[in-house]
Amino acid sequence: MKKIIYGSLIFLILSMLVACTNEKDDFARIHPNLLPSEGHRYSLQAVGKEISLDLLEDNNITNVGPVTNTSSYESLNEQYPKLELKKEPAFILFDENGLVLKTYDYEEMIDFLQNPDK
């Protein structure tokens, strides 16, 4: 009887751990509009530097959609305070589970998108 109880407890704990590792972060749960559109791996919020799909395609990046441009980090912080942006330009990438990159460096964002499995 004790073996059944202990076995059940271990199974329950392991199930909870596995479920937590696949869980979406706060952005994904609270703001699903930040997540990539169907058929894309990432979505991009750009602040203070205009990013277009054409610009990304010029860098051989086709796995991003949608791209949203905002003129000031203050307005994005008002909308999404958890981003805690400090300056612009800023580039925030989300995948299906939530935030994957927040950077103020354009080249870092491009490198990440060109080498997503790095």
Side-chain angles (χ1 to χ4, degrees):
M1 182 70 166
K2 285 184 181 180
K3 288 182 181 180
I4 293 173
I5 293 172
Y6 288 131
S8 297
L9 280 173
I10 290 172
F11 177 76
L12 180 64
I13 291 169
L14 288 175
S15 297
M16 289 171 50
L17 287 173
V18 169
C20 289
T21 59
N22 292 328
E23 204 171 282
K24 294 182 178 187
D25 70 14
D26 286 342
F27 291 105
R29 284 192 305 255
I30 299 169
H31 305 290
N33 58 310
L34 293 174
L35 303 181
S37 57
E38 191 172 322
H40 293 97
R41 187 167 181 181
Y42 301 105
S43 65
L44 170 63
Q45 291 279 326
V47 182
K49 179 174 175 73
E50 186 82 14
I51 303 292
S52 67
L53 290 175
D54 290 337
L55 178 67
L56 294 175
E57 287 176 6
D58 289 345
N59 287 287
N60 297 316
I61 298 168
T62 59
N63 57 355
V64 177
V67 174
T68 305
N69 292 287
T70 305
S71 58
S72 78
Y73 74 94
E74 291 98 342
S75 64
L76 202 58
N77 276 342
E78 284 178 23
Q79 194 171 6
Y80 307 108
K82 283 193 161 211
L83 288 178
E84 299 177 345
L85 297 173
K86 307 287 186 219
K87 62 181 183 174
E88 49 195 64
F91 309 97
I92 305 100
L93 291 168
F94 298 90
D95 70 5
E96 66 183 15
N97 294 312
L99 182 70
V100 292
L101 178 71
K102 178 175 87 172
T103 184
Y104 302 100
D105 184 343
Y106 174 78
E107 293 301 323
E108 181 181 2
M109 180 220 24
I110 294 294
D111 183 56
F112 180 89
L113 291 171
Q114 287 176 333
N115 305 292
D117 298 318
K118 193 174 172 185

